[in-house]
Amino acid sequence: IITGLDTGQKDFDYSMVELAELAQANHMEVVTRIDQVIDRPNPATYFGKGKVEEIRDVADANHVSTIITNDELSPSQLRNLEEGTDCRILDRTALILEIFANRAQTKEAKLQVQIAELQYRLPRLQTSASERLDQQTGGGSGFTNRGAGETKLEMDRRTIQHHISHLRQELAAIDKSEQTKRKLRAKSAIPTAALVGYTNSGKSTIMNGLVRKYGAAEEKTVFEKNMLFATLDTSVRQLTLPDQKRFLLSDTVGFVSKLPTHLVESFKSTLAEAANADLLIQVIDYSDPHYKQMMATTAKTLKQIGIEDIPMINVFNKADKTEIEFPILEGDDQVVISAKQDASLDLLVDVIKKHLFKDYVTATLLIP
Ligand code: GDP
């Protein structure tokens, strides 16, 4: 069951649609959606009391195992909801973390996800039932005493903190070698373009299409699938155009609204690929009625990771699913295309060239 609180925020409905897609991306089947219109979340149970009972009954009747909430919950909300509904509770952050954990491929991405997961867990560690009882009865049985007054919970916290700093060191070592690679690329003076934008918008399809046309023969194609977060790791490919002009194209993590802060932090180094680019290519699913909100999300995420003044072209993709004519160029930095069509990719390459190679005079801008 996906659940959410409608507190009057304007993107509520859209964020619930997205939540269902996230659940599917995590291989879960959504049975139903339950909303509650409310001024602010209940500090103890997130939902109001009656709603918690309703959710429990619906879950019970449908043999539901998991309830997903649209917002990140406080540790006590999480515990109380779990007790009140008899189901596993997954908040939006935990759901995104699970997806990321399943998709991470490189050592770097795996470390980044692990760190984010531990940071999420840290404040949510639970006191065991017996310790809670001890606290209530003021001191307890004598069997749970831990010398210097350290509780099991404190020990768990310390263990996790140790683990986090250990992983951070490992990540720092990898980041260093990645930075060296990036510097080498910068030195080689091959200009770089980075695909950015909402997840599922068609970035991998564009990457694959261009690699197929202009990549080295042995290049593998990037994983492309109709699923959120198909792309988690950055991949960089070198493309050589028929006139021997070369550039690097990178494909990076897809964006999604309400991306947990821990994740944005953790993925900064992956996203840094975009920060080093000479040109950003924002891919937009033009057939999605929410495409404007998605563009806003992308802009916000880019700002969050400190990318603000790199030139950007907008690629309105999946035009084949709309009534709009394509491929077309609008101004000199917007194209309406379909990543699955050859003429579209040609037009896109032409616009990329114009931005990357200053002396390049466009030849095919007259394509209808
Ligand atoms: P990414 O997450 O941004 O890398 O998105 P993908 O490249 O994996 O594409 C997501 C889905 O949209 C896949 O099923 C693609 O086949 C599909 N797709 C991509 N571009 C187009 C397009 O121009 N037209 C149509 N109809 N589907 C597309």
Side-chain angles (χ1 to χ4, degrees), residues 4-257:
L5 291 185
D6 182 357
T7 54
Q9 69 275 43
K10 75 177 192 310
D11 291 340
F12 173 70
D13 208 57
Y14 160 61
S15 70
M16 288 300 289
V17 171
E18 192 182 82
L19 191 65
E21 283 174 12
L22 287 168
Q24 279 151 13
N26 199 32
H27 309 292
M28 301 169 106
E29 185 197 344
V30 178
V31 174
T32 187
R33 162 179 161 180
I34 300 178
D35 304 349
Q36 180 170 33
V37 181
I38 200 168
D39 283 343
R40 68 182 67 88
N42 181 313
T45 49
Y46 181 63
F47 293 104
K49 194 164 173 283
K51 208 64 178 181
V52 176
E53 282 161 21
E54 179 191 328
I55 294 170
R56 187 198 55 213
D57 293 344
V58 174
D60 208 33
N62 291 286
H63 308 287
V64 163
S65 63
T66 309
I67 290 161
I68 301 176
T69 63
N70 195 25
D71 298 294
E72 187 172 315
L73 301 181
S74 73
S76 60
Q77 285 173 330
L78 197 73
R79 194 168 53 228
N80 292 335
L81 260 188
E82 218 143 42
E83 278 165 13
T85 58
D86 273 336
C87 285
R88 176 168 87 119
I89 307 291
L90 205 58
D91 66 19
R92 190 185 182 94
T93 305
L95 173 63
I96 294 178
L97 281 169
E98 270 190 17
I99 299 172
F100 272 51
N102 290 330
R103 301 286 165 83
Q105 297 283 338
T106 59
K107 182 88 183 145
E108 190 183 20
K110 281 182 187 153
L111 283 172
Q112 289 170 333
V113 176
Q114 265 181 308
I115 292 171
E117 269 180 334
L118 290 174
Q119 281 175 325
Y120 172 82
R121 264 181 48 202
L122 198 54
R124 290 175 180 75
L125 287 177
Q126 292 198 17
T127 327
S128 70
S130 70
E131 269 181 349
R132 272 207 295 279
L133 197 69
D134 278 358
Q135 279 162 10
Q136 280 163 17
T137 54
S141 54
F143 289 109
T144 52
N145 277 347
R146 272 186 190 78
E150 186 175 56
T151 63
K152 163 116 181 7
L153 183 63
E154 281 160 350
M155 271 181 20
D156 289 350
R157 277 206 189 110
R158 250 180 344 118
T159 313
I160 290 195
Q161 268 154 353
H162 270 306
H163 199 170
I164 291 178
S165 57
H166 181 77
L167 293 173
R168 281 224 175 95
Q169 280 165 12
E170 247 184 280
L171 183 62
I174 296 184
D175 279 353
K176 233 187 197 145
S177 73
E178 283 298 317
Q179 271 170 20
T180 318
K181 274 193 228 160
R182 268 174 217 135
K183 275 201 191 112
L184 278 177
R185 283 203 284 272
K187 264 211 191 105
S188 72
I190 302 180
T192 305
L195 293 162
V196 296
Y198 215 80
T199 201
N200 218 38
S201 58
K203 295 185 297 297
S204 313
T205 310
I206 290 177
M207 181 84 160
N208 287 342
L210 293 179
V211 169
R212 227 170 273 139
K213 280 177 89 122
Y214 304 116
E218 71 279 6
E219 296 273 47
K220 290 196 311 264
T221 47
V222 192
F223 178 43
E224 161 195 335
K225 215 163 167 217
N226 194 1
M227 229 184 218
L228 291 173
F229 297 114
T231 333
L232 241 204
D233 298 296
T234 303
S235 56
V236 183
R237 299 296 142 96
Q238 179 171 311
L239 304 177
T240 309
L241 301 174
D243 57 7
Q244 296 308 309
K245 282 204 184 332
R246 288 184 303 165
F247 67 97
L248 298 174
L249 185 63
S250 75
D251 187 5
T252 186
V253 57
F255 301 157
V256 64
S257 67

